[in-house]
Amino acid sequence: MSRLLPVYTARIEAARANNRQGLPLGGAWLRNANDLMQEEMLPAAERLYQAEKERVRSDYATAQGFPWVAVGLGVLTVGALGGVQHALYRRTNRRFNVGLLGATAACGVLLVWVTAGHTLASAGLSDSYERGVRSLNVLNDARISALKARGGENLTLVARGAVTVPAGQKFAGQDSYDVAYRAEMTRLLGPEGDGGSGGLLGRALVLADDAGGSDPVRAATDRAGEWRGRHLKAREYDEAGDYEQALKRVIGAEKDEATGASFDRLDAALEKALAHEQGEFERAARAGGSALTGLVAGALVLAALGTAGAGVGIARRLAEYR
């Protein structure tokens, strides 16, 4: 991506330079830049995105794994201390050894702390995944689809029918960029007439668990539906040969007609929803992490106290035989 980005930028600038000079090569340069983006840059970005999602899943699985080794060693230690005290009781007929009793208490407290802390931390992590990560994944996918749809819509006007779907394929003979636009809008909203419940935005609405998350998703759904309707009107003008009206309907300044205004509002709503879900994720993750606050330092202190208590308790019994 780093290698190709300057190449893409150069092709965009070449398109601008040709357009400013009134040369028809501008559209060709723009299509060439789009091909680079679609065929090489976006697949690379998708691989990176999927790799990071897999890394998050792996990190969650690792973090939520129960610390069986630590708990097992704790149980064995408490059991061993109890066994030593029982053996001393049988040999000396003394019920309590203060040092060993203190060591057992310290190890018991540490064992309970580790178990409870991990349980609470795991619950917090699960909450952060359910309330944050799942929604973030869907919303990010929705934003990517919206951006790709907008790119296809714009390039439909740039290409002006010069790039069509090859014969033998579905939608053969139709404008390739408009076909790509419709595919992304279907992914975003579901099939036409579905009301948005079958697409990514519908899934995002199901995953939103409060008004702060659901309201911007509903707004995004409304704006996407509005965009789809305005796009159809722009296509009618374009197919009728009225290119200027089609252009105004896509990139015009009139917010009551242009698809660009609908896209901007859709993107703003998605950004708001993403910010909310990111906040939900961070709050839940911090809550889970707070359950482990001081555990390392506390474990060191309790382990030291336990070791000292065991040493003192055994030393007192040994002193009796000197």
Side-chain angles (χ1 to χ4, degrees):
M1 290 175 63
S2 298
R3 176 179 58 82
L4 293 173
L5 185 58
V7 179
Y8 174 79
T9 303
R11 293 180 183 181
I12 293 295
E13 292 306 317
R16 286 177 176 171
N18 279 279
N19 283 336
R20 286 170 181 168
Q21 296 178 67
L23 301 175
L25 288 175
W29 275 110
L30 196 57
R31 292 195 301 271
N32 188 263
N34 178 73
D35 290 342
L36 179 67
M37 176 66 74
Q38 296 290 336
E39 295 173 8
E40 298 187 54
M41 297 179 69
L42 287 180
E46 179 70 16
R47 290 194 297 272
L48 176 61
Y49 177 51
Q50 294 300 331
E52 288 300 320
K53 287 174 65 175
E54 183 58 36
R55 184 179 175 184
V56 169
R57 283 193 291 267
S58 177
D59 287 345
Y60 265 96
T62 302
Q64 291 180 303
F66 193 79
W68 293 108
V69 174
V71 172
L73 288 174
V75 171
L76 289 175
T77 302
V78 172
L81 288 169
V84 170
Q85 292 177 81
H86 180 69
L88 286 175
Y89 167 71
R90 294 183 62 183
R91 292 177 66 88
T92 65
N93 204 30
R94 294 181 179 179
R95 291 188 177 183
F96 299 110
N97 182 302
V98 177
L100 290 175
L101 192 62
T104 304
C107 291
V109 169
L110 180 56
L111 178 61
V112 172
W113 192 354
V114 169
T115 304
H118 177 272
T119 301
L120 292 173
S122 181
L125 283 174
S126 297
D127 191 40
S128 70
Y129 187 84
E130 293 297 324
R131 300 186 63 183
V133 174
R134 291 180 64 194
S135 293
L136 285 171
N137 287 339
V138 175
L139 288 169
N140 280 322
D141 288 341
R143 198 173 192 186
I144 290 170
S145 287
L147 289 167
K148 292 170 73 174
R150 182 60 176 169
E153 181 180 53
N154 287 337
L155 285 165
T156 300
L157 294 177
V158 173
R160 303 186 71 173
V163 182
T164 58
V165 178
Q169 297 185 17
K170 189 177 181 180
F171 306 115
Q174 297 185 29
D175 187 287
S176 295
Y177 298 119
D178 190 53
V179 170
Y181 162 84
R182 296 201 304 268
E184 294 301 333
M185 291 301 288
T186 298
R187 186 166 182 256
L188 190 65
L189 282 172
E192 291 189 35
D194 190 51
S197 61
L200 289 170
L201 291 176
R203 288 172 55 195
L205 186 59
V206 171
L207 292 172
D209 48 17
D210 59 13
S214 60
D215 288 349
V217 173
R218 287 193 181 93
T221 303
D222 292 341
R223 298 290 76 76
E226 177 186 80
W227 179 13
R228 179 182 265 175
R230 292 180 177 182
H231 174 81
L232 291 175
K233 190 65 176 177
R235 291 299 300 149
E236 289 178 5
Y237 280 112
D238 192 25
E239 291 172 356
D242 194 344
Y243 181 76
E244 291 300 323
Q245 278 296 325
L247 192 64
K248 290 180 180 179
R249 293 276 179 171
V250 173
I251 61 173
E254 297 82 0
K255 293 185 177 181
D256 293 334
E257 297 182 356
T259 63
S262 299
F263 167 77
D264 290 341
R265 293 168 181 167
L266 164 63
D267 192 59
L270 288 175
E271 185 175 0
K272 184 177 180 180
L274 283 164
H276 175 79
E277 296 300 337
Q278 182 69 29
E280 290 289 299
F281 163 75
E282 291 176 355
R283 281 190 290 273
R286 280 196 299 267
S290 64
L292 301 176
T293 300
L295 179 58
V296 174
L300 292 174
V301 171
L302 289 172
L305 291 175
T307 302
V312 170
I314 293 174
R316 289 187 63 184
R317 297 287 77 82
L318 291 176
E320 296 176 354
Y321 296 96
R322 291 178 182 173

